[in-house]
Amino acid sequence: MKKILLTGIRFYQRYLSPIKGGSTCKFYPTCSQYAKEAIEKYGALKGGRLAVWRILRCNPFTRGGYDPVP
């Protein structure tokens, strides 16, 4: 499961993200990089939960900034 998720994230980073254009992420590292690091560090279940929580926090009311994987 972990390998499938990481492959999906790499596909997104390589092929889909550049199509989005010049939009920038509010957070550093980007949400996709955060998800990749979280899944590599904690596995599919816990890392996936952290990634979803990060994506849910990405909204117009959030300042953003530096937010590393715990």
Side-chain angles (χ1 to χ4, degrees):
M1 187 64 165
K2 179 179 173 179
K3 193 172 186 175
I4 293 169
L5 291 173
L6 291 173
T7 302
I9 292 169
R10 278 190 221 100
F11 177 83
Y12 170 80
Q13 288 177 329
R14 180 170 286 153
Y15 298 108
L16 300 179
S17 184
I19 293 172
K20 285 186 354 181
S23 64
T24 59
C25 189
K26 292 178 135 192
F27 290 103
Y28 177 80
T30 63
C31 292
S32 60
Q33 185 63 33
Y34 181 93
K36 185 177 169 187
E37 290 175 15
I39 291 168
E40 286 173 344
K41 185 173 182 178
Y42 293 110
L45 205 56
K46 185 175 180 182
R49 252 193 333 255
L50 286 169
V52 168
W53 178 243
R54 166 72 175 274
I55 291 168
L56 289 174
R57 289 185 290 143
C58 190
N59 61 61
F61 306 109
T62 303
R63 278 190 187 174
Y66 182 64
D67 182 29
V69 175

